[in-house]
Amino acid sequence: MAATAPSHATAGVESAPAGRDHVVVFPFMAKGHMIPLLDFAAALAAHHSDICVTLLTTPGNLAFARRGLPASVRVVVIPFPAHPQLPAGVESTDALSSRAVFPVFLRATAMLQEPFAEFLASLPSPPLVLVSDFFLGFTQSVASDAGIRRLTFHGMSAFSLALCFTLATRPPAPVEDGVQFHVPGFPENVKITADEVPDAVRQAWNTDDPVIQFLEDEVRHWDYRSWGVLVNSFAALDEDYTTILESFYLPGSRAWLVGPLFLAAGESPETKQECDDPEDCLPWLDERAGRPGSVVYVSFGTEVHVPAAQLDELAHGLVESGHAFLWGVRSADWSPPVDTGADGKIVRGWVPQRRVLSHPAVGAFLSHCGWNSVLESLAARRPMLTWPVMAEQAANAKHVADIVGAGVRVGRLAKPVSSTSPAVVVGRAQVAEKVRQLMDSGEEGRSILARAEEVHHAARAAVEEGGTSRVALRQLVEELRATYVAVDGGGQTAQER
Ligand SMILES: O=c1ccn([C@@H]2O[C@H](COP(=O)(O)OP(=O)(O)O[C@H]3O[C@H](CO)[C@@H](O)[C@H](O)[C@H]3O)[C@@H](O)[C@H]2O)c(=O)[nH]1
């Protein structure tokens, strides 16, 4: 690799990092993938101050990245590739006009290979490790060529990831809708239905969707060759699935459960002051602080597009439930068909979700079950109303509601099952009933709350001194350091597997 005219710029501290004390983190440009890796960078900097952490991102993501990081993490910016089908300035999936543009976005991010290679070539010595998202599969080949080990990150739980890998390689015999089946290698009591199988896996069985092809190539060719896999979860929630997960990687590779990463990161002076609350959600909740646990927080994350007909039913259902709600809606052109009253707040902009969830006025989270939302909700002792839509969210809902017992199921897919069929709509009566089931302090609601409380304590314990995640982070650094050797003449590190 030639190190001529590198096309990257450093924003932050300028010190030239030495290999053995340097970790490079490269997140995919989607909020649900970026946030946990920002937290990983912050956690590493907080607990291993002798390591220099460099976060790699693109210009359009710089401000968001910087806001989530302590000043000690160095940020390097590489240009986002121009793609004829992608409007200039769209550098994160939450800015995509629809899910249909996602394949184009993936192709654009694959073009980051060259500036990424230039960046690595400009380093004085190979870093201790590269931590990069599986969507950036090219990072494996570039790092490998440069004699650098790569730790892959998927954003998912060990449960969902192990499920994806197992079912992708061992499809079950056809089963009817709603019939539960056992997944090879999983504990006997864990059974799932066909519609809980993650989208990418189900589609891979019978379509040639371009996104699925991309993901399959990423995993088969690159991901399984990683030195290990970083998981934003913790042993009490996910240890039953780590052995299955590890079996897909090269012998000796480990799944490192070092989360919840936002708790492991803690709050630096910079991130503590930074609270992006453009819609004044927190003051609105403060007004309801006298009624602890009375508000349902509603959000479908940063990727899901919910059809207007479904949003209408949800609005009616929330009002009919009689409970207060705070709802972050992504669709700019949708208006509620019903007067939501003073106790129903709908916001369009960014919600400071973690702070909202830990606010005393909030009692539950109606969520699409993105993995970050699951962790944030349970860590804040908030039980969940699960409403998965896409990706591995139905598996996460299974995990929360049936395996952990900290949630009530509201519905499943709000999206059309095919391009010609109408969206599946969960009716208002069902929404209202499920909200009341959890919020009306019946016996079931109390036992679900108790489970959320247990997960909250386990999550905190995991990241404290001596906790499973804190120990795993230390072991990860120790093992990387113990096996670090500079590049040999053939461009391979001795420890490369
Ligand atoms: O207004 C908002 C919206 C989101 N968030 C944060 O954004 C993240 C959203 O992540 P997540 O809940 O995981 O949802 P998605 O953005 O939908 O996540 C994608 O990535 C996840 C991790 O791989 C997957 O589990 C999901 O299925 C996939 O849709 C969380 O940290 C939220 O706290 C906010 O703080 N404010």
Side-chain angles (χ1 to χ4, degrees), residues 30-33 35-36 39 64 93-94 99 133-135 153-157 262 276 297 299-304 328 330 347-355 357 365 367-376 390-394 396:
K31 297 287 184 290
H33 286 241
I35 290 171
D39 290 332
F64 186 82
T93 56
D94 53 314
R99 195 70 190 160
D133 198 285
F134 92 106
F135 274 119
F153 177 74
H154 288 251
M156 292 186 225
S157 66
F262 74 99
D276 204 0
Y297 168 55
S299 170
F300 286 83
T302 65
E303 306 273 340
V304 165
R330 286 190 71 210
V347 300
R348 313 279 168 170
W350 190 252
V351 176
Q353 179 165 306
R354 290 176 189 168
R355 293 197 188 200
L357 283 168
F365 185 9
S367 166
H368 70 311
C369 296
W371 184 241
N372 299 291
S373 289
V374 170
L375 282 178
E376 291 164 10
M390 57 171 232
E392 91 299 11
Q393 295 154 13
N396 294 341

Short mmCIF file of all heavy atoms in Angstrom, two decimals, residues 30-33 35-36 39 64 93-94 99 133-135 153-157 262 276 297 299-304 328 330 347-355 357 365 367-376 390-394 396, ligand 1:
data_model
loop_
_atom_site.label_atom_id
_atom_site.label_comp_id
_atom_site.label_asym_id
_atom_site.label_seq_id
_atom_site.Cartn_x
_atom_site.Cartn_y
_atom_site.Cartn_z
N ALA A 30 -24.72 3.76 10.64
CA ALA A 30 -26.12 3.64 11.04
C ALA A 30 -26.13 3.89 12.55
O ALA A 30 -25.26 3.36 13.25
CB ALA A 30 -26.64 2.24 10.73
N LYS A 31 -27.08 4.67 13.02
CA LYS A 31 -27.04 5.06 14.44
C LYS A 31 -26.99 3.84 15.38
O LYS A 31 -26.23 3.83 16.34
CB LYS A 31 -28.24 5.94 14.79
CG LYS A 31 -28.28 7.28 14.04
CD LYS A 31 -27.23 8.23 14.56
CE LYS A 31 -27.30 9.61 13.90
NZ LYS A 31 -26.86 9.64 12.47
N GLY A 32 -27.81 2.83 15.06
CA GLY A 32 -27.88 1.66 15.93
C GLY A 32 -26.58 0.85 15.95
O GLY A 32 -26.35 0.04 16.84
N HIS A 33 -25.72 1.06 14.96
CA HIS A 33 -24.43 0.38 14.92
C HIS A 33 -23.32 1.29 15.44
O HIS A 33 -22.35 0.83 16.01
CB HIS A 33 -24.10 -0.04 13.48
CG HIS A 33 -24.91 -1.22 13.02
ND1 HIS A 33 -24.36 -2.41 12.64
CD2 HIS A 33 -26.25 -1.38 12.92
CE1 HIS A 33 -25.31 -3.26 12.31
NE2 HIS A 33 -26.48 -2.65 12.46
N ILE A 35 -23.61 3.99 17.64
CA ILE A 35 -23.69 4.34 19.07
C ILE A 35 -22.93 3.33 19.94
O ILE A 35 -22.09 3.71 20.75
CB ILE A 35 -25.16 4.52 19.52
CG1 ILE A 35 -25.73 5.80 18.87
CG2 ILE A 35 -25.29 4.57 21.03
CD1 ILE A 35 -27.24 5.98 19.06
N PRO A 36 -23.19 2.02 19.77
CA PRO A 36 -22.46 1.09 20.64
C PRO A 36 -20.94 1.09 20.43
O PRO A 36 -20.19 0.87 21.38
CB PRO A 36 -23.07 -0.28 20.33
CG PRO A 36 -23.83 -0.10 19.06
CD PRO A 36 -24.21 1.34 18.96
N ASP A 39 -19.52 3.95 22.21
CA ASP A 39 -19.46 3.57 23.63
C ASP A 39 -18.27 2.64 23.90
O ASP A 39 -17.63 2.73 24.94
CB ASP A 39 -20.76 2.89 24.07
CG ASP A 39 -21.93 3.87 24.11
OD1 ASP A 39 -21.69 5.07 24.33
OD2 ASP A 39 -23.08 3.43 23.91
N PHE A 64 -21.85 13.90 15.20
CA PHE A 64 -22.54 12.90 16.04
C PHE A 64 -21.52 12.06 16.81
O PHE A 64 -21.69 11.79 18.01
CB PHE A 64 -23.42 12.00 15.17
CG PHE A 64 -24.26 11.05 15.96
CD1 PHE A 64 -25.47 11.45 16.52
CD2 PHE A 64 -23.86 9.73 16.16
CE1 PHE A 64 -26.24 10.58 17.26
CE2 PHE A 64 -24.62 8.85 16.90
CZ PHE A 64 -25.83 9.26 17.45
N THR A 93 -27.69 5.80 7.61
CA THR A 93 -28.92 5.14 7.14
C THR A 93 -30.19 5.84 7.59
O THR A 93 -31.22 5.73 6.93
CB THR A 93 -28.97 3.68 7.63
OG1 THR A 93 -28.86 3.69 9.06
CG2 THR A 93 -27.87 2.85 7.03
N ASP A 94 -30.14 6.57 8.70
CA ASP A 94 -31.37 7.24 9.15
C ASP A 94 -31.76 8.38 8.21
O ASP A 94 -32.88 8.88 8.27
CB ASP A 94 -31.26 7.72 10.60
CG ASP A 94 -30.04 8.58 10.83
OD1 ASP A 94 -28.95 8.19 10.39
OD2 ASP A 94 -30.17 9.64 11.47
N ARG A 99 -36.25 2.31 2.78
CA ARG A 99 -35.40 1.13 2.94
C ARG A 99 -34.88 0.64 1.58
O ARG A 99 -33.86 -0.02 1.48
CB ARG A 99 -36.25 0.05 3.63
CG ARG A 99 -35.49 -1.10 4.22
CD ARG A 99 -34.68 -0.72 5.44
NE ARG A 99 -33.80 -1.83 5.81
CZ ARG A 99 -32.73 -1.72 6.57
NH1 ARG A 99 -32.38 -0.56 7.07
NH2 ARG A 99 -31.99 -2.75 6.86
N ASP A 133 -17.30 -2.87 11.98
CA ASP A 133 -18.63 -3.45 11.79
C ASP A 133 -18.62 -4.48 10.67
O ASP A 133 -17.92 -4.33 9.67
CB ASP A 133 -19.62 -2.33 11.46
CG ASP A 133 -21.05 -2.75 11.67
OD1 ASP A 133 -21.59 -3.52 10.83
OD2 ASP A 133 -21.64 -2.34 12.68
N PHE A 134 -19.49 -5.49 10.79
CA PHE A 134 -19.51 -6.54 9.76
C PHE A 134 -20.02 -6.01 8.43
O PHE A 134 -19.70 -6.55 7.38
CB PHE A 134 -20.33 -7.75 10.23
CG PHE A 134 -21.77 -7.72 9.83
CD1 PHE A 134 -22.27 -8.54 8.82
CD2 PHE A 134 -22.65 -6.89 10.49
CE1 PHE A 134 -23.59 -8.51 8.46
CE2 PHE A 134 -23.99 -6.85 10.14
CZ PHE A 134 -24.47 -7.67 9.12
N PHE A 135 -20.80 -4.92 8.46
CA PHE A 135 -21.23 -4.31 7.19
C PHE A 135 -20.03 -3.76 6.41
O PHE A 135 -20.13 -3.52 5.22
CB PHE A 135 -22.21 -3.16 7.45
CG PHE A 135 -23.65 -3.61 7.58
CD1 PHE A 135 -24.35 -3.39 8.75
CD2 PHE A 135 -24.30 -4.22 6.53
CE1 PHE A 135 -25.68 -3.79 8.87
CE2 PHE A 135 -25.62 -4.62 6.63
CZ PHE A 135 -26.32 -4.40 7.81
N PHE A 153 -17.91 -6.65 14.69
CA PHE A 153 -19.02 -6.21 15.54
C PHE A 153 -20.30 -6.22 14.72
O PHE A 153 -20.32 -5.70 13.59
CB PHE A 153 -18.73 -4.79 16.06
CG PHE A 153 -19.86 -4.24 16.88
CD1 PHE A 153 -20.09 -4.70 18.17
CD2 PHE A 153 -20.71 -3.26 16.38
CE1 PHE A 153 -21.13 -4.21 18.94
CE2 PHE A 153 -21.76 -2.75 17.14
CZ PHE A 153 -21.96 -3.23 18.42
N HIS A 154 -21.37 -6.81 15.26
CA HIS A 154 -22.63 -6.89 14.52
C HIS A 154 -23.74 -6.03 15.11
O HIS A 154 -24.78 -5.87 14.49
CB HIS A 154 -23.13 -8.34 14.49
CG HIS A 154 -22.32 -9.23 13.61
ND1 HIS A 154 -22.79 -9.73 12.42
CD2 HIS A 154 -21.07 -9.71 13.74
CE1 HIS A 154 -21.87 -10.47 11.84
NE2 HIS A 154 -20.80 -10.48 12.63
N GLY A 155 -23.58 -5.55 16.31
CA GLY A 155 -24.65 -4.78 16.94
C GLY A 155 -25.71 -5.66 17.60
O GLY A 155 -26.49 -5.18 18.40
N MET A 156 -25.74 -6.93 17.24
CA MET A 156 -26.79 -7.82 17.77
C MET A 156 -26.35 -8.49 19.06
O MET A 156 -25.18 -8.50 19.41
CB MET A 156 -27.05 -8.95 16.77
CG MET A 156 -27.69 -8.54 15.50
SD MET A 156 -28.05 -10.05 14.58
CE MET A 156 -27.48 -9.60 12.97
N SER A 157 -27.32 -9.12 19.72
CA SER A 157 -27.02 -9.94 20.89
C SER A 157 -26.37 -11.24 20.45
O SER A 157 -26.46 -11.63 19.28
CB SER A 157 -28.32 -10.27 21.62
OG SER A 157 -29.12 -11.09 20.79
N PHE A 262 -22.94 1.13 26.84
CA PHE A 262 -23.18 2.51 27.30
C PHE A 262 -22.97 2.62 28.80
O PHE A 262 -22.60 3.68 29.30
CB PHE A 262 -24.56 3.02 26.87
CG PHE A 262 -25.73 2.45 27.62
CD1 PHE A 262 -26.31 3.16 28.66
CD2 PHE A 262 -26.26 1.23 27.29
CE1 PHE A 262 -27.39 2.65 29.36
CE2 PHE A 262 -27.33 0.70 27.97
CZ PHE A 262 -27.91 1.41 29.02
N ASP A 276 -28.85 16.18 23.87
CA ASP A 276 -29.55 16.68 22.72
C ASP A 276 -31.05 16.45 22.93
O ASP A 276 -31.52 15.33 22.75
CB ASP A 276 -29.01 15.87 21.52
CG ASP A 276 -29.18 16.61 20.22
OD1 ASP A 276 -29.70 17.72 20.25
OD2 ASP A 276 -28.78 16.04 19.19
N TYR A 297 -43.09 5.18 26.97
CA TYR A 297 -42.24 5.76 25.93
C TYR A 297 -42.36 4.87 24.69
O TYR A 297 -42.30 3.63 24.80
CB TYR A 297 -40.79 5.85 26.42
CG TYR A 297 -39.79 6.18 25.34
CD1 TYR A 297 -39.95 7.32 24.54
CD2 TYR A 297 -38.70 5.36 25.10
CE1 TYR A 297 -39.04 7.62 23.53
CE2 TYR A 297 -37.78 5.66 24.10
CZ TYR A 297 -37.96 6.78 23.32
OH TYR A 297 -37.07 7.07 22.32
N SER A 299 -41.01 4.16 20.67
CA SER A 299 -40.08 4.47 19.57
C SER A 299 -39.79 3.22 18.75
O SER A 299 -39.69 2.12 19.30
CB SER A 299 -38.76 5.02 20.13
OG SER A 299 -37.80 5.11 19.09
N PHE A 300 -39.64 3.43 17.43
CA PHE A 300 -39.29 2.33 16.53
C PHE A 300 -37.87 2.49 15.99
O PHE A 300 -37.54 1.99 14.91
CB PHE A 300 -40.31 2.23 15.39
CG PHE A 300 -41.64 1.67 15.82
CD1 PHE A 300 -42.60 2.48 16.40
CD2 PHE A 300 -41.91 0.32 15.67
CE1 PHE A 300 -43.83 1.97 16.81
CE2 PHE A 300 -43.13 -0.21 16.08
CZ PHE A 300 -44.09 0.62 16.66
N GLY A 301 -37.03 3.21 16.73
CA GLY A 301 -35.61 3.29 16.38
C GLY A 301 -35.32 4.17 15.19
O GLY A 301 -36.14 5.03 14.81
N THR A 302 -34.19 3.93 14.56
CA THR A 302 -33.72 4.85 13.52
C THR A 302 -33.81 4.27 12.10
O THR A 302 -33.45 4.95 11.15
CB THR A 302 -32.25 5.23 13.78
OG1 THR A 302 -31.44 4.05 13.66
CG2 THR A 302 -32.05 5.84 15.15
N GLU A 303 -34.25 3.02 11.96
CA GLU A 303 -34.24 2.38 10.64
C GLU A 303 -35.65 2.10 10.10
O GLU A 303 -35.87 2.11 8.90
CB GLU A 303 -33.52 1.03 10.71
CG GLU A 303 -32.13 1.07 11.27
CD GLU A 303 -31.08 1.37 10.23
OE1 GLU A 303 -31.36 1.18 9.05
OE2 GLU A 303 -30.00 1.83 10.61
N VAL A 304 -36.56 1.79 11.01
CA VAL A 304 -37.87 1.28 10.61
C VAL A 304 -38.74 2.40 10.05
O VAL A 304 -38.80 3.49 10.61
CB VAL A 304 -38.56 0.66 11.86
CG1 VAL A 304 -40.04 0.44 11.62
CG2 VAL A 304 -37.87 -0.64 12.26
N GLY A 328 -41.67 9.06 19.88
CA GLY A 328 -40.77 9.60 18.86
C GLY A 328 -41.13 9.00 17.51
O GLY A 328 -41.00 7.80 17.32
N ARG A 330 -40.70 8.95 13.26
CA ARG A 330 -39.74 9.32 12.21
C ARG A 330 -40.40 10.01 11.03
O ARG A 330 -39.79 10.84 10.39
CB ARG A 330 -39.02 8.07 11.69
CG ARG A 330 -37.99 7.52 12.65
CD ARG A 330 -37.17 6.45 11.96
NE ARG A 330 -36.28 7.00 10.96
CZ ARG A 330 -35.89 6.36 9.86
NH1 ARG A 330 -36.32 5.16 9.61
NH2 ARG A 330 -35.07 6.93 8.99
N VAL A 347 -43.20 13.54 19.17
CA VAL A 347 -42.07 14.37 18.76
C VAL A 347 -41.47 13.81 17.46
O VAL A 347 -41.57 12.62 17.20
CB VAL A 347 -40.98 14.45 19.87
CG1 VAL A 347 -41.56 15.06 21.13
CG2 VAL A 347 -40.36 13.10 20.16
N ARG A 348 -40.86 14.69 16.67
CA ARG A 348 -40.30 14.28 15.37
C ARG A 348 -38.78 14.20 15.39
O ARG A 348 -38.19 13.52 14.60
CB ARG A 348 -40.68 15.26 14.26
CG ARG A 348 -42.11 15.66 14.23
CD ARG A 348 -42.93 14.58 13.53
NE ARG A 348 -44.33 14.83 13.76
CZ ARG A 348 -45.30 14.19 13.15
NH1 ARG A 348 -45.02 13.26 12.27
NH2 ARG A 348 -46.54 14.44 13.42
N GLY A 349 -38.17 14.98 16.24
CA GLY A 349 -36.71 15.04 16.21
C GLY A 349 -36.07 13.98 17.10
O GLY A 349 -36.70 13.01 17.51
N TRP A 350 -34.82 14.20 17.40
CA TRP A 350 -34.05 13.28 18.22
C TRP A 350 -34.56 13.27 19.66
O TRP A 350 -34.83 14.33 20.23
CB TRP A 350 -32.58 13.70 18.19
CG TRP A 350 -31.64 12.72 18.79
CD1 TRP A 350 -30.99 12.85 19.99
CD2 TRP A 350 -31.25 11.46 18.24
NE1 TRP A 350 -30.20 11.74 20.21
CE2 TRP A 350 -30.33 10.87 19.16
CE3 TRP A 350 -31.57 10.75 17.08
CZ2 TRP A 350 -29.75 9.62 18.94
CZ3 TRP A 350 -30.98 9.51 16.87
CH2 TRP A 350 -30.09 8.96 17.78
N VAL A 351 -34.71 12.10 20.21
CA VAL A 351 -35.14 11.96 21.61
C VAL A 351 -33.92 11.51 22.42
O VAL A 351 -33.23 10.58 21.99
CB VAL A 351 -36.25 10.88 21.73
CG1 VAL A 351 -36.64 10.65 23.18
CG2 VAL A 351 -37.46 11.26 20.90
N PRO A 352 -33.62 12.13 23.56
CA PRO A 352 -32.50 11.62 24.37
C PRO A 352 -32.94 10.32 25.06
O PRO A 352 -33.27 10.31 26.25
CB PRO A 352 -32.24 12.77 25.35
CG PRO A 352 -33.53 13.50 25.45
CD PRO A 352 -34.27 13.29 24.16
N GLN A 353 -32.94 9.25 24.28
CA GLN A 353 -33.63 8.01 24.71
C GLN A 353 -33.14 7.45 26.05
O GLN A 353 -33.94 7.04 26.88
CB GLN A 353 -33.49 6.95 23.62
CG GLN A 353 -34.16 5.63 23.98
CD GLN A 353 -34.35 4.72 22.80
OE1 GLN A 353 -34.93 5.11 21.79
NE2 GLN A 353 -33.87 3.50 22.91
N ARG A 354 -31.84 7.44 26.24
CA ARG A 354 -31.36 6.84 27.50
C ARG A 354 -31.85 7.62 28.70
O ARG A 354 -32.21 7.06 29.72
CB ARG A 354 -29.84 6.80 27.50
CG ARG A 354 -29.30 5.80 26.51
CD ARG A 354 -27.80 5.89 26.49
NE ARG A 354 -27.28 5.11 25.41
CZ ARG A 354 -26.02 5.17 24.99
NH1 ARG A 354 -25.18 5.99 25.56
NH2 ARG A 354 -25.61 4.41 24.00
N ARG A 355 -31.83 8.95 28.55
CA ARG A 355 -32.29 9.77 29.69
C ARG A 355 -33.79 9.66 29.86
O ARG A 355 -34.30 9.69 30.98
CB ARG A 355 -31.88 11.22 29.49
CG ARG A 355 -30.37 11.33 29.56
CD ARG A 355 -29.93 12.73 29.79
NE ARG A 355 -28.49 12.74 29.65
CZ ARG A 355 -27.69 13.65 30.13
NH1 ARG A 355 -28.20 14.67 30.80
NH2 ARG A 355 -26.41 13.58 29.97
N LEU A 357 -35.55 7.00 29.20
CA LEU A 357 -35.84 5.70 29.83
C LEU A 357 -35.51 5.69 31.32
O LEU A 357 -36.15 4.98 32.09
CB LEU A 357 -35.06 4.60 29.10
CG LEU A 357 -35.65 4.18 27.75
CD1 LEU A 357 -34.67 3.31 26.97
CD2 LEU A 357 -36.97 3.44 27.95
N PHE A 365 -41.53 0.74 27.90
CA PHE A 365 -41.04 1.13 26.56
C PHE A 365 -41.73 0.27 25.52
O PHE A 365 -41.54 -0.95 25.49
CB PHE A 365 -39.52 0.94 26.54
CG PHE A 365 -38.83 1.40 25.27
CD1 PHE A 365 -39.48 2.12 24.28
CD2 PHE A 365 -37.47 1.13 25.09
CE1 PHE A 365 -38.83 2.55 23.13
CE2 PHE A 365 -36.81 1.55 23.95
CZ PHE A 365 -37.48 2.25 22.96
N SER A 367 -41.48 -0.74 21.97
CA SER A 367 -40.30 -0.65 21.12
C SER A 367 -40.30 -1.68 20.00
O SER A 367 -40.85 -2.78 20.13
CB SER A 367 -39.06 -0.87 22.01
OG SER A 367 -37.91 -1.12 21.25
N HIS A 368 -39.58 -1.33 18.92
CA HIS A 368 -39.36 -2.26 17.81
C HIS A 368 -38.33 -3.33 18.18
O HIS A 368 -38.10 -4.25 17.42
CB HIS A 368 -38.88 -1.49 16.58
CG HIS A 368 -37.48 -0.96 16.72
ND1 HIS A 368 -37.05 -0.26 17.83
CD2 HIS A 368 -36.41 -1.04 15.90
CE1 HIS A 368 -35.78 0.07 17.67
NE2 HIS A 368 -35.36 -0.38 16.50
N CYS A 369 -37.71 -3.17 19.33
CA CYS A 369 -36.74 -4.14 19.84
C CYS A 369 -35.43 -4.18 19.07
O CYS A 369 -34.84 -5.25 18.89
CB CYS A 369 -37.34 -5.55 19.92
SG CYS A 369 -38.69 -5.64 21.09
N GLY A 370 -34.96 -3.03 18.60
CA GLY A 370 -33.56 -2.93 18.19
C GLY A 370 -32.74 -3.29 19.44
O GLY A 370 -33.17 -2.99 20.56
N TRP A 371 -31.60 -3.92 19.24
CA TRP A 371 -30.89 -4.45 20.41
C TRP A 371 -30.45 -3.35 21.38
O TRP A 371 -30.46 -3.53 22.60
CB TRP A 371 -29.70 -5.32 19.98
CG TRP A 371 -29.03 -5.95 21.16
CD1 TRP A 371 -27.74 -5.77 21.56
CD2 TRP A 371 -29.63 -6.84 22.12
NE1 TRP A 371 -27.50 -6.49 22.71
CE2 TRP A 371 -28.63 -7.16 23.06
CE3 TRP A 371 -30.91 -7.40 22.26
CZ2 TRP A 371 -28.87 -8.02 24.15
CZ3 TRP A 371 -31.15 -8.25 23.34
CH2 TRP A 371 -30.14 -8.55 24.27
N ASN A 372 -30.09 -2.18 20.84
CA ASN A 372 -29.69 -1.09 21.75
C ASN A 372 -30.87 -0.68 22.62
O ASN A 372 -30.72 -0.44 23.82
CB ASN A 372 -29.19 0.13 20.96
CG ASN A 372 -27.98 -0.20 20.13
OD1 ASN A 372 -26.91 -0.46 20.66
ND2 ASN A 372 -28.16 -0.24 18.82
N SER A 373 -32.05 -0.60 22.01
CA SER A 373 -33.23 -0.21 22.78
C SER A 373 -33.55 -1.24 23.86
O SER A 373 -33.93 -0.88 24.97
CB SER A 373 -34.44 -0.04 21.85
OG SER A 373 -34.27 1.11 21.06
N VAL A 374 -33.38 -2.51 23.53
CA VAL A 374 -33.63 -3.56 24.53
C VAL A 374 -32.69 -3.37 25.72
O VAL A 374 -33.12 -3.34 26.88
CB VAL A 374 -33.43 -4.96 23.91
CG1 VAL A 374 -33.43 -6.03 24.99
CG2 VAL A 374 -34.51 -5.24 22.87
N LEU A 375 -31.40 -3.22 25.43
CA LEU A 375 -30.42 -3.07 26.52
C LEU A 375 -30.71 -1.82 27.35
O LEU A 375 -30.65 -1.84 28.57
CB LEU A 375 -29.01 -2.97 25.95
CG LEU A 375 -28.34 -4.26 25.50
CD1 LEU A 375 -26.97 -3.93 24.92
CD2 LEU A 375 -28.20 -5.26 26.63
N GLU A 376 -31.01 -0.73 26.64
CA GLU A 376 -31.22 0.55 27.34
C GLU A 376 -32.47 0.47 28.21
O GLU A 376 -32.51 1.02 29.33
CB GLU A 376 -31.32 1.69 26.33
CG GLU A 376 -29.98 1.97 25.64
CD GLU A 376 -30.10 2.82 24.37
OE1 GLU A 376 -31.18 3.36 24.10
OE2 GLU A 376 -29.08 2.94 23.65
N MET A 390 -38.44 -5.56 11.69
CA MET A 390 -37.54 -6.08 10.63
C MET A 390 -36.24 -6.59 11.26
O MET A 390 -36.10 -6.63 12.48
CB MET A 390 -37.25 -4.98 9.62
CG MET A 390 -36.65 -3.75 10.29
SD MET A 390 -36.08 -2.55 9.10
CE MET A 390 -34.42 -2.29 9.68
N ALA A 391 -35.32 -6.95 10.37
CA ALA A 391 -33.99 -7.44 10.79
C ALA A 391 -34.15 -8.56 11.84
O ALA A 391 -34.97 -9.45 11.68
CB ALA A 391 -33.13 -6.28 11.28
N GLU A 392 -33.38 -8.49 12.95
CA GLU A 392 -33.44 -9.56 13.96
C GLU A 392 -34.34 -9.16 15.13
O GLU A 392 -34.29 -9.74 16.21
CB GLU A 392 -32.01 -9.89 14.44
CG GLU A 392 -31.47 -9.14 15.62
CD GLU A 392 -31.34 -7.62 15.50
OE1 GLU A 392 -31.85 -7.02 14.54
OE2 GLU A 392 -30.73 -7.03 16.40
N GLN A 393 -35.19 -8.14 14.92
CA GLN A 393 -35.98 -7.60 16.03
C GLN A 393 -36.97 -8.61 16.62
O GLN A 393 -37.23 -8.59 17.83
CB GLN A 393 -36.69 -6.32 15.58
CG GLN A 393 -35.70 -5.21 15.24
CD GLN A 393 -36.21 -4.19 14.25
OE1 GLN A 393 -37.40 -4.14 13.95
NE2 GLN A 393 -35.31 -3.36 13.71
N ALA A 394 -37.51 -9.51 15.78
CA ALA A 394 -38.45 -10.51 16.31
C ALA A 394 -37.72 -11.49 17.23
O ALA A 394 -38.29 -11.97 18.22
CB ALA A 394 -39.13 -11.26 15.18
N ASN A 396 -35.14 -10.66 19.04
CA ASN A 396 -34.91 -9.90 20.27
C ASN A 396 -36.18 -9.87 21.13
O ASN A 396 -36.12 -9.96 22.36
CB ASN A 396 -34.49 -8.46 19.94
CG ASN A 396 -33.14 -8.38 19.25
OD1 ASN A 396 -32.36 -9.32 19.31
ND2 ASN A 396 -32.86 -7.28 18.58
O1 LIG B 1 -34.58 9.66 18.77
C1 LIG B 1 -33.76 8.78 19.00
C2 LIG B 1 -33.68 7.59 18.25
C3 LIG B 1 -32.74 6.64 18.60
N1 LIG B 1 -31.88 6.87 19.63
C4 LIG B 1 -30.84 5.89 19.95
O2 LIG B 1 -30.49 5.20 18.77
C5 LIG B 1 -30.23 3.84 19.02
C6 LIG B 1 -31.16 3.00 18.18
O3 LIG B 1 -30.70 1.68 18.19
P1 LIG B 1 -31.68 0.41 18.17
O4 LIG B 1 -32.65 0.51 19.26
O5 LIG B 1 -30.84 -0.82 18.18
O6 LIG B 1 -32.53 0.56 16.85
P2 LIG B 1 -32.14 0.71 15.27
O7 LIG B 1 -31.60 2.02 15.04
O8 LIG B 1 -33.35 0.32 14.54
O9 LIG B 1 -31.01 -0.41 15.13
C7 LIG B 1 -30.55 -1.22 14.07
O10 LIG B 1 -29.36 -1.82 14.62
C8 LIG B 1 -29.57 -2.62 15.77
C9 LIG B 1 -28.22 -3.08 16.27
O11 LIG B 1 -27.61 -3.91 15.33
C10 LIG B 1 -30.49 -3.78 15.44
O12 LIG B 1 -30.76 -4.53 16.61
C11 LIG B 1 -31.80 -3.27 14.85
O13 LIG B 1 -32.61 -4.37 14.44
C12 LIG B 1 -31.50 -2.36 13.67
O14 LIG B 1 -32.71 -1.82 13.14
C13 LIG B 1 -30.44 3.64 20.52
O15 LIG B 1 -29.20 3.73 21.17
C14 LIG B 1 -31.32 4.83 20.92
O16 LIG B 1 -31.13 5.23 22.26
C15 LIG B 1 -31.96 8.02 20.37
O17 LIG B 1 -31.22 8.23 21.32
N2 LIG B 1 -32.90 8.94 20.02
#
